[in-house]
Amino acid sequence: ADKAAVDAAKAAGTVGEQADGYLGFVQGSGDGALSAAVNAINAGRRQVYAQTAGKTGVTAEAAGQATGAQLIAKTPPGQYFKPLGGNWTKK
């Protein structure tokens, strides 16, 4: 359910992928249900990045950035992404 809500928000331009590997709100913070969905997915990603860091010896931040680059590359045209140190950009 969280993924479906976030996918719909991405398509609507409300939520986008960030270069740090986490989801973010393009504008505002969404409604309560959408905020909860984004937070749940980001919490899951945080755990994966920590596990990856433990296995590979990189930092969790580096693992997140590597994943973020992959997710941004897969972002379909018309959706938003945010590069490191940059602003929201429509692909």
Side-chain angles (χ1 to χ4, degrees):
D2 288 340
K3 184 178 182 328
V6 167
D7 286 347
K10 284 181 173 180
T14 307
V15 171
E17 292 289 349
Q18 301 179 126
D20 63 2
Y22 296 99
L23 294 166
F25 286 96
V26 178
Q27 295 176 348
S29 61
D31 61 30
L34 182 56
S35 290
V38 166
N39 289 338
I41 289 172
N42 281 344
R45 289 183 179 186
R46 193 171 295 111
Q47 287 182 319
V48 170
Y49 301 155
Q51 290 169 354
T52 300
K55 291 178 189 168
T56 61
V58 300
T59 64
E61 183 179 54
Q65 289 177 7
T67 303
Q70 294 171 350
L71 292 169
I72 287 172
K74 294 180 190 174
T75 298
Q79 293 188 11
Y80 286 87
F81 68 95
K82 186 176 185 181
L84 285 175
N87 296 317
W88 286 107
T89 305
K90 192 172 193 175
K91 197 163 187 184

